[in-house]
Amino acid sequence: MTNKRIVVLISGNGSNLQAIIDYKTLNYKITCVVSDQEEAYGLMRARMANIPTKTIPSNKNLKKEFDALLLEVLIDLNPDLIVLAGFMKILNEDIVDTFNGKIINIHPSLLPKYKGLHTHRKALEAQDKYHGATVHCVTKELDAGPILGQCQLTICKDDTEITLKEKVHQAEHILYPLIIDYICNESISITNNQPQVIQKRKDLIIPIRINL
Ligand code: GRF
């Protein structure tokens, strides 16, 4: 039951990776951090935590080659869970099929609102009262897989894209390790063929919603 093997995919800063590293648990172990960017600061964070890293530069490989290399690396690593944490490449169908129900992502909006980019701007333009982050299963449709948990915060009158981004990041750092831990200790299950969230513990409301 303990120490599920997780692989984290990043492209940049890796602040979510850091929160996942820092979370005190015996339920998971990060066995590798994979980046598509050689300069990603997240790789440094992994090295500082003695976590093995792998880089598959997306700028030096054609998309098809990159996808094939990534699939090969992931099969070789044989993770229980693949965690996308600011990974800026869309996973191809082969990868999603091979690891169906085993890939999760964090997205900076209260999905189903604002899939894709510029989520903070969109929330401000829509004059939303609330904004936040969502952890969801990865399926073939972008940012549309079943929701595993959300963290909601109130948008203040003087919030800008920059302040909202910062607040959402802080929310993500609470939400993401928690959801990963729940999956790894099997409080949340995702069925293999069709990702679904099953409530196993009565004290958990799923999708989990944290209000900041
Ligand atoms: C986060 O805001 C996450 O929601 C999005 O990419 C960003 C990654 O930030 N998918 P970091 O690299 O973890 O700091």
Side-chain angles (χ1 to χ4, degrees):
M1 284 279 270
T2 54
N3 264 351
K4 288 272 160 63
R5 298 160 54 82
I6 73 171
V7 168
V8 183
L9 269 54
I10 59 158
S11 296
N13 179 28
S15 68
N16 279 283
L17 166 68
Q18 190 69 56
I20 298 163
I21 291 172
D22 292 343
Y23 193 79
K24 299 273 173 279
T25 182
L26 290 176
N27 294 320
Y28 65 76
K29 180 181 163 62
I30 306 174
T31 55
C32 192
V33 171
V34 180
S35 173
D36 69 317
Q37 301 293 323
E38 286 164 309
E39 305 301 321
Y41 183 65
L43 288 171
M44 186 72 83
R45 295 180 191 271
R47 286 180 200 124
M48 284 191 293
N50 291 316
I51 297 167
T53 61
K54 277 195 194 315
T55 307
I56 307 168
S58 52
N59 59 349
K60 292 187 186 156
N61 291 287
L62 296 172
K63 169 88 176 113
K64 221 172 150 185
E65 286 160 4
F66 173 83
D67 287 341
L69 280 170
L70 181 59
L71 179 60
E72 203 180 299
V73 163
L74 291 173
I75 288 173
D76 196 44
L77 290 167
N78 190 25
D80 294 305
L81 188 68
I82 297 169
V83 173
L84 308 188
F87 185 65
M88 297 308 284
K89 287 275 158 304
I90 294 175
L91 297 182
N92 83 343
E93 296 204 350
D94 278 355
I95 297 177
V96 177
D97 278 341
T98 306
F99 295 97
N100 198 338
K102 284 189 174 183
I103 313 175
I104 63 171
N105 180 42
I106 190 156
H107 182 75
S109 79
L110 293 172
L111 289 172
K113 276 189 162 183
Y114 315 135
K115 295 171 182 161
L117 299 174
H118 309 301
T119 58
H120 314 304
R121 189 185 309 165
K122 287 173 188 166
L124 284 171
E125 281 171 0
Q127 299 188 316
D128 287 350
K129 233 173 130 182
Y130 302 108
H131 189 40
T134 302
V135 178
H136 64 93
C137 302
V138 172
T139 57
K140 287 173 193 167
E141 206 184 327
L142 185 70
D143 300 331
I147 291 173
L148 296 157
Q150 291 187 310
C151 196
Q152 176 180 279
L153 52 91
T154 305
I155 300 181
C156 301
K157 189 161 95 272
D158 50 357
D159 267 326
T160 62
E161 264 189 78
I162 294 168
T163 62
L164 264 191
K165 186 177 173 188
E166 179 55 32
K167 285 183 187 177
V168 168
H169 255 124
Q170 285 175 19
E172 289 179 343
H173 301 161
I174 298 168
L175 181 70
Y176 214 7
L178 187 73
I179 299 290
I180 293 167
D181 200 47
Y182 281 158
I183 294 170
C184 292
N185 75 14
E186 297 173 0
S187 295
I188 298 175
S189 300
I190 307 168
T191 62
N192 274 340
N193 296 331
Q194 177 64 37
Q196 269 177 14
V197 184
I198 297 165
Q199 187 168 341
K200 280 198 162 180
R201 262 173 52 176
K202 291 207 172 73
D203 58 326
L204 285 181
I205 302 161
I206 290 172
I208 292 153
R209 183 172 276 246
I210 302 169
N211 288 296
L212 288 184

